[in-house]
Amino acid sequence: EEMAAADYEKETKENAIDKATKEQDVKYKAKEADELDAAVAEATADKTGVQAELDPVLKYLATLEDRCIAKAETYEEKKAKRESEIAGLKEALSILDGQSVFLQRKVRRIIGKPLV
């Protein structure tokens, strides 16, 4: 019986020590969880602020890229542009051919003699 009582006392003390240790672990882990929650909230707020600044910058960058980066013309665009040029040149040529009738030559005369 004394041995059983001693074992019981020993087991009770070990249980009390385990209980105190586990309670401290819970306390520290709860504190750590609260600190991590606060850090997450702060990081989320920082991310939101930075994202609010980044969005306009990215939008401006996209407009700059549209303006500054040369884009290769497609074959259809080149062909249409060239055909437009040719049509304009043909029109100019026809206008010039029609106006050749109206051209005048300047004649210089030295008292009584025409010079060509």
Side-chain angles (χ1 to χ4, degrees):
E1 255 181 62
E2 287 179 19
M3 193 130 165
D7 284 342
Y8 175 77
E9 285 294 322
K10 181 179 173 187
E11 196 68 34
T12 304
K13 286 181 183 179
E14 285 177 7
N15 285 342
I17 291 171
D18 277 347
K19 182 179 177 184
T21 304
K22 289 180 181 178
E23 285 176 351
Q24 285 297 325
D25 283 348
V26 167
K27 189 179 189 182
Y28 290 130
K29 295 211 184 228
K31 182 180 177 184
E32 184 179 356
D34 291 341
E35 290 172 358
L36 289 174
D37 287 342
V40 166
E42 184 178 342
T44 303
D46 288 348
K47 180 184 177 243
T48 304
V50 169
Q51 191 66 42
E53 292 176 11
L54 180 63
D55 288 341
V57 170
L58 291 176
K59 185 177 179 182
Y60 183 66
L61 177 64
T63 60
L64 285 179
E65 287 175 348
D66 287 343
R67 289 185 198 168
C68 298
I69 295 177
K71 295 178 183 120
E73 289 181 312
T74 63
Y75 173 74
E76 290 79 20
E77 290 172 342
K78 287 180 184 179
K79 183 178 176 185
K81 189 176 179 182
R82 185 70 181 145
E83 286 175 354
S84 161
E85 270 184 57
I86 291 172
L89 291 172
K90 284 182 181 178
E91 182 182 348
L93 181 61
S94 68
I95 291 171
L96 290 175
D97 283 343
Q99 289 183 351
S100 65
V101 177
F102 299 114
L103 291 177
Q104 294 180 358
R105 287 185 13 187
K106 194 175 195 179
V107 177
R108 294 185 187 170
R109 294 181 185 213
I110 299 179
I111 307 177
K113 293 183 183 180
L115 291 175
V116 180

